[in-house]
Amino acid sequence: MNASQLQREAASRAMKMARAAGMEKSMAQAMGAAGVSAPNVAGGDGRFFSSTKKGETQEIRLELQAASKDKKINAVKKVIANMTVGKDVSALFPDVLNCIQTGNIELKKLVYLYLVNHAKTHPDLALLAVNTFVRDAADPNPLVRALAIRTMGCIRVERITEYLCEPLERALKDEDPYVRKTAAVCVAKLHDISPDLVKDRGFLDLLRDLVADANPTVVANAVAALSEIADEDKGSDDVMGMSSAKLQKLLAALNECTEWGQVSILDALAKYVPEEAKDAERIIERVMPRLQHANSAVVLSAIKVILQYMHEALDPESELCVGYRKKLSPPLVTMVNTAEPELCYVALRNVNLIVQRDQRILENEIKIFFCRYNDPLYVKLEKLEIMIRLVSDRTVDQVLLELKEYSQEVDVDFVRTAIKAVGRVAVKLENAAQRCVNVLLELIKARVPYVVQAAVVVVANIFRRYPNRYESIIGALCENLESLDEPEAKEAMIWIVGEYADSIENADELLSGFLEDFRESEHAVRLQLLTACVKLFLKSPQRGEAQQMVQSVLSMSTECTDDPDLRDRGYIYWRLLSNDPEAAKAIVLGPKPPVEDDTAKLDEATLDLLLSQIGTLASVYHKPPEAFVNEKTLKEEEEEETYDDFDDAPADDEEPAPAPQGGGGDLLDLLDMGPVAAAVPEPPKSGGDALVADALGDIFGGDPVVPPSQPSGDIFGGDLMAPSQNDPFGGSALFGANTPPPAPAPLRKPVSVLQPSQQSGGVGIAAAFNAGEQRTIALDLEVSNAGPQPVRLLQIQLNKSPFGLAPADAPSLQFDPPLLPGTTRPKRVRLRAGDAKMLSQVPAMTAGAGVNVQIALKNADTGAVFYLAAPCPLDAVFAADATVDRSAFIARWKAIDDANESYATVADLPTGPSIDAAVAKLAARRCHPVARRAVPGQVGSEVAYFSVQLLGPEAEYLVELTFKSGVAACKVCVKTTARSLAPLGLAAICALLRAP
């Protein structure tokens, strides 16, 4: 496991632990907000989570309609419990909604809690309660007013804005602070839905006024909302509108609001740069007490403010800043000394950034970074990194003693890292280099194989940093050659022998030992061995077998290898030695730049950015937020939020379940259908492609996966696409003047997608999608009846899909005469593509050549509803009338960015080496031929171009196939106007070529 994997694991564990710590509190607060006691297994409301009896939905419906308030409250609790564990309770929505007309606060809270969660999957239905929300927003009870505003803000539907604006404006000016602080958060939610509306209605001005509110919780929520709006609206001016009066209000609220409110205020202060040094000093003095807070998030935010002001508004070398550094040290030490390894790791990652900015803060506290015996590996590695950053001439002795102890640990990875740390100390501190070399020499004499190999690598770096200084230890290294079996250690030792060949008497013998395994050695070892032999020859051409050795290694490097790097380097050395040996000496033996200390990895701009993100995930990953967070992730996280005021803990934002491949969302409720459970596995990928990839690369003059290097101008270049003598695409005919049109492709036979079962009433389904007539798609079905009663009518409904498929005729299957038990009958359903109401987002697809379309069927006689998923290949939605001429094709090819290109290699074509047969197969599947040309400079190579248009989404594929005469394989290049559909199109073309 490498360091980055360890970092990700540690960050993940830290996040899980933080979520676990807050889960109990957030559940208690959420249930408390709804008037429900915290659930427990033994009794209380925990019993609602353990019910598994059948027919419970009807029983709950009756309780929701009861006259007793207690029964209604318990019924809504059952609904929320079922919804929490993942059961579908959408059928109870009307009954729960009827309970909203009540004066009972506990019941109203429970119903609102249900609506907030139900609105995530059924936002349009939640609008049915909007009149109640508006009425409750004017209720005399401030709890009800705040609850109504909060609930309306959580329903993330654009249509809600027309009802929300008036109540929200009143709530922002409400006399009760609880209502105001709730409304402040609601403005940020409204801005996410409609930013222009927030600006036009003056909500930003009202929110800025709340920053000067008398209530600290209102101030904290207003600051948090403005910060969120500023992050979303990056191109706007200062959203906060900071002034001296507001600044004083923020500092006053800092001592009175909750801990998470303090974090928001401190983060806002970190973005504010005082105009004068005295202002910065006053702010720091007010922030300094936060360093003693029990919450580490508050401490980190306070440190961020102080660091920012020290380096932007003050003189870092002043006596004042010296005092600030002394005050920053104790809280950092406290966080690092925590007993929880995950929290310790998060603190260490932040400390790593801080010491890069100013290591004087912790220069006297290096001992706290010494590793404990029971520290996890990821914590030990991070402590080592910080130790190296802090080490100085004053502390180097105790650090080396500690590293020497680490080299005797049982964890091999940690031992190697510790030995490398010794080398990094030597590279960083020239005065301590000799002491580091002595430590390494002691480790080498211990003759532990993995210790020796790590030490050899480190010594090579020290030699690069301090040339011709420590050659005395070369003898000890040479005594351990037999223990070197790792490529990195071999490479380092070979470099040492070649670099100091004139000082090593038996250098030729040592290199000869490595040459015996030259052909089996790793890539880096062979490259280093080639260079070392050339160095030996240039330094001592008359020694032993130097001349014969260099001839042998040059011959093996140029004639007996398929490694292009090794071959090219061999040719360069050969030509240098043959034409100008003096030039060879100047190049190969010339002075090299010394190895520099690589401790400071981050550039100044990146470091400034990460320091401004202290206390966030960016400071743990050491990456800017945009490197690991995208807009989709943010939207998913926001959709998981419910009640997020600072005095209410946020709900546990569990990761949403992945959407089914066929489309985004549940089936329409016409047939009372739930999610489709059936799934059809994708066909396995062919294994022959990889076997011929290298051969095709040589045949076609390039890597089969990388686009061939061509001039950036017209890739068709003048007459390159002009018809050749045998061009079947020449003239105006599709397949040329003498070539008949292709025969229609055979229809796909239906495959079983639903086995007869009790749920389906004995109905079994086999399905296949085929290209239809007049811009339609045919869904060919074979319906079997294994039940006891005949089937007369099946209603059919399709879920949303990337192709927007919908029935072109009546959505039903009529059986006249009825389908008797024990019989099977074929049926065809005509579908149209591109229905706007049936289009869904394109799911993340990689290898599949189609998508699974979810289908629901209902037996009109028995009422049984059953579901299936049928694979729809992409070529089923290819348009038959989307031909394009050569000039238009060239223009479209140029217009599509190279980033929208996809490449693949198809081996073992069923059509054999016949290019015409492969081209005809694609033409039969509605891939429209455009042109065909010979590849210049490559005898027997031809390129064919096709145009493909989809019936559903507005997308077009431009296809390039490269063939070699006599080879049953081809290279495929696909360009498309829709990047999300690129993998699907490439897979579909490859599947058609592989099809028998």
Side-chain angles (χ1 to χ4, degrees), residues 735 909-924 932 963 993:
F735 285 86
L909 290 173
T911 53
S914 173
I915 301 173
D916 294 339
V919 170
K921 177 190 289 188
L922 289 186
R932 182 168 163 182
F963 298 90
L993 290 169

Side-chain angles (χ1 to χ4, degrees), residues 197-219:
L197 180 64
V198 170
K199 297 174 183 177
D200 296 340
R201 295 296 296 262
F203 287 131
L204 282 181
D205 295 331
L206 293 175
L207 204 55
R208 293 189 187 102
D209 293 340
L210 291 184
V211 175
D213 196 275
N215 187 284
T217 305
V218 176
V219 174

Side-chain angles (χ1 to χ4, degrees), residues 122-289:
H122 302 80
D124 293 333
L125 289 179
L127 289 174
L128 298 176
V130 73
N131 290 330
T132 303
F133 298 152
V134 174
R135 185 168 59 253
D136 285 350
D139 193 272
N141 191 329
L143 294 178
V144 176
R145 296 200 301 273
L147 189 62
I149 292 296
R150 177 187 297 171
T151 306
M152 293 178 74
C154 291
I155 301 176
R156 310 179 76 81
V157 183
E158 190 168 359
R159 288 170 55 192
I160 197 74
T161 58
E162 57 188 276
Y163 305 99
L164 176 60
C165 289
E166 292 296 335
L168 180 58
E169 188 172 352
R170 292 197 305 269
L172 288 169
K173 303 175 183 177
D174 197 280
E175 61 182 9
D176 192 281
Y178 184 78
V179 179
R180 296 199 301 275
K181 65 104 176 175
T182 304
V185 178
C186 189
V187 172
K189 295 180 178 293
L190 179 60
H191 182 273
D192 185 50
I193 300 173
S194 180
D196 294 334
L197 180 64
V198 170
K199 297 174 183 177
D200 296 340
R201 295 296 296 262
F203 287 131
L204 282 181
D205 295 331
L206 293 175
L207 204 55
R208 293 189 187 102
D209 293 340
L210 291 184
V211 175
D213 196 275
N215 187 284
T217 305
V218 176
V219 174
N221 279 28
V223 170
L226 286 170
S227 298
E228 183 176 341
I229 292 173
D231 291 339
E232 293 177 358
D233 203 3
K234 296 180 180 179
S236 64
D237 298 332
D238 181 19
V239 175
M240 191 73 66
M242 190 69 74
S243 63
S244 58
K246 289 182 180 179
L247 185 62
Q248 294 303 319
K249 284 288 185 179
L250 291 181
L251 294 174
L254 193 59
N255 297 323
E256 302 177 24
C257 61
T258 63
E259 52 193 14
W260 299 112
Q262 294 179 37
V263 170
S264 290
I265 292 175
L266 289 170
D267 288 345
L269 290 175
K271 298 175 183 176
Y272 170 70
V273 180
E275 297 179 359
E276 298 182 3
K278 290 183 179 181
D279 294 336
E281 294 175 17
R282 283 195 291 268
I283 295 174
I284 291 177
E285 291 299 327
R286 300 286 292 273
V287 169
M288 198 67 72

Side-chain angles (χ1 to χ4, degrees), residues 768-850:
F769 285 91
N770 288 293
E773 299 177 353
Q774 298 178 352
R775 298 182 66 83
T776 62
I777 297 93
L779 173 58
D780 292 319
L781 303 173
E782 288 184 357
V783 185
S784 60
N785 184 6
Q789 303 196 6
V791 178
R792 295 178 175 81
L793 179 66
L794 292 178
Q795 294 175 306
I796 185 170
Q797 183 171 295
L798 276 69
N799 195 7
K800 295 179 180 180
S801 69
F803 305 143
L805 300 181
D809 304 317
S812 61
L813 300 176
Q814 185 80 32
F815 295 93
D816 188 15
L819 181 64
L820 300 177
T823 61
T824 301
R825 192 176 303 172
K827 280 289 184 180
R828 167 167 285 198
V829 180
R830 293 173 65 248
L831 305 175
R832 67 180 187 276
D835 190 307
K837 296 182 180 179
M838 300 302 293
L839 278 172
S840 70
Q841 295 283 339
V842 179
M845 302 180 227
T846 52

Side-chain angles (χ1 to χ4, degrees), residues 485-512:
D485 55 9
E486 296 178 0
E488 191 177 6
K490 287 183 180 180
E491 181 187 358
M493 191 65 216
I494 291 169
W495 179 86
I496 293 173
V497 174
E499 189 70 16
Y500 296 94
D502 49 352
S503 303
I504 303 175
E505 294 182 359
N506 61 338
D508 53 341
E509 297 177 7
L510 298 178
L511 292 178
S512 296

